[in-house]
Amino acid sequence: MADTQQVDPKAERKAARLAQRIGSFSKAHGGAEGQVAYIGQRGARIVLVGEDGAWGDIVAPTYAIAEQAVEKSGITVHESFDGEFAAKVRTGPYEWSRMAGIQLGGPANG
């Protein structure tokens, strides 16, 4: 029996655009690794960490599209954001002031 799995062209295009953005990030940072996290009705968050320690994220409308995008991009995908993968992230003064700015006397988040 033939495989009758239907392909949603709109989802395919979205995954291809996200894969292109992931590829651009990877190229700009000497390679990249990622992790996909479900964020409810909003979809899924793709967290990217470059080989140079830079990081960023992209939100996909669904978990399935996020998975397609990381697969198309060819990056290594981790199950969770911990251990050696998390240790690769390098933060600077901006991140520290935003994460704990109020408690440490940094700029207000507003």
Side-chain angles (χ1 to χ4, degrees):
M1 183 157 249
D3 185 11
T4 59
Q5 184 179 28
Q6 294 184 350
V7 176
D8 179 3
K10 186 176 178 182
E12 285 287 325
R13 287 191 302 273
K14 183 65 175 175
R17 283 194 301 273
L18 290 170
Q20 186 176 40
R21 291 177 62 193
I22 293 167
S24 294
F25 179 90
S26 181
K27 184 177 179 182
H29 298 284
E33 298 176 42
Q35 189 257 338
V36 179
Y38 177 70
I39 56 174
Q41 289 183 328
R42 300 257 337 170
R45 179 180 186 210
I46 305 167
V47 179
L48 302 169
V49 179
E51 288 300 314
D52 62 359
W55 63 279
D57 66 349
I58 301 171
V59 175
T62 67
Y63 194 85
I65 290 174
E67 286 184 317
Q68 282 181 309
V70 294
E71 184 178 321
K72 286 178 185 277
S73 71
I75 65 169
T76 300
V77 181
H78 297 268
E79 290 291 320
S80 61
F81 194 82
D82 61 4
E84 289 182 32
F85 179 50
K88 290 183 178 185
V89 174
R90 299 290 171 247
T91 56
Y94 172 79
E95 288 85 5
W96 283 103
S97 70
R98 295 295 289 179
M99 287 187 282
I102 295 172
Q103 293 85 352
L104 299 175
N109 292 336

